[in-house]
Amino acid sequence: MSTHASDPLAALGSLRGVADSVDSVRKAVDRVYGHRVMRRRSNEITSEAALRGARGSAALSGADWALEEVRRRTDFSADAEARTVGAALRLTAECGQLLSIWRQSPLRVLARLHLVAEGEPRESTGRPRQVGEAVDESLIEAPLPDPAEVSGRLDGLADLIIAGGAAPALVTAAVVHGELLALRPFTSRNGLVARAAERIVLIGSGLDPKAICPAEVGHAELGRAAYVAAFEGYLSGTPEGMAAWIAHCGRAVELGVRESTAVCEALQRGAA
């Protein structure tokens, strides 16, 4: 793959599809933030969105549990699926603690996210994979960049985040998400880490400061096949493919908004 993290921000600004996605997401987010329930019960919406987002991210990583099962369980060590759900829950809880560090030291945050996802430190935990190390990531089967390329592109991604700039939050979040999926910098849990990083960008950018618009819900609802197909657009490095990936991420945010709007409505009716 020839795409670098900085390319999309320069190449996509004039594409109508990207502008439309950004505008649609902003309007959807504004609507749920304007819901009357948000004025007095926003903490409940945030907590519920975190739970549902973790469930969605785990589903994409192969542990597609019912929401009530995730809510009910207390032990997440029994088997591989349980460990995946536990990792997703820990990551979602951790994201809010890392916002202040993200813009100064994104690579440190990524290392922390991998450590949290793994749960137990191992030799390869929290650092980019080295030559000869395998990657356990069944959903994404694209060729793996070698460790030297991973290191260079991670540095480029970090520079992009630290520099900030005028790119819309949705675009930056989608690029961070896509680049981490493409690189798979760790030996495991890369999908979970990539979606957690997307969450951090959406929250930290101010688009979703209360973390009530879980994109992970939308990614799961759109399905694994659509997720992989859209990601192939990112891998292509073409403006059209990139725009398709960003639009997919935008649709995921909108579906997360719909989920939280339904929670707001249920709370308003006294049914939740």
Side-chain angles (χ1 to χ4, degrees), residues 128-175:
R129 54 186 167 80
Q130 299 175 356
V131 175
E133 289 183 330
V135 174
D136 180 12
E137 197 69 48
S138 59
L139 181 59
I140 303 301
E141 298 179 350
L144 280 168
D146 64 47
E149 182 179 353
V150 169
S151 178
R153 285 170 60 180
L154 281 176
D155 286 343
L157 187 64
D159 290 344
L160 171 72
I161 294 161
I162 292 168
L170 172 65
V171 173
T172 303
V175 168

Side-chain angles (χ1 to χ4, degrees), residues 16-32 168 170 207 213 246-258:
R16 180 174 176 80
V18 172
D20 288 348
S21 294
V22 168
D23 186 55
S24 181
V25 166
R26 167 52 69 188
K27 288 177 179 176
V29 171
D30 286 348
R31 282 195 299 272
V32 71
L170 172 65
L207 177 65
C213 307
I246 291 167
H248 182 87
C249 291
R251 181 61 180 149
V253 174
E254 290 184 66
L255 289 170
V257 167
R258 188 177 72 178

Side-chain angles (χ1 to χ4, degrees), residues 70-85:
V70 178
R71 198 190 305 278
R72 180 186 68 81
R73 287 284 284 268
T74 56
D75 179 11
F76 294 97
S77 62
D79 52 41
E81 284 198 6
R83 288 191 291 274
T84 296
V85 175

Side-chain angles (χ1 to χ4, degrees), residues 60 95 102 110 113 169-170 172-178 180 191-205 213-217 219 227 245-246 248-250 252-253:
L60 285 171
C95 285
W102 176 253
L110 293 175
L113 290 174
L170 172 65
T172 303
V175 168
V176 168
H177 184 171
L180 292 173
L192 291 175
V193 169
R195 291 184 290 275
E198 178 186 49
R199 167 180 279 265
I200 287 172
V201 174
L202 293 172
I203 298 168
S205 66
C213 307
E216 306 96 324
V217 168
H219 286 305
Y227 184 74
W245 169 247
I246 291 167
H248 182 87
C249 291
V253 174

Side-chain angles (χ1 to χ4, degrees), residues 34-47:
H35 197 286
R36 60 187 299 180
V37 168
M38 283 294 297
R39 290 197 292 270
R40 60 188 187 281
R41 303 182 71 174
S42 64
N43 288 343
E44 294 173 70
I45 309 301
T46 297
S47 295

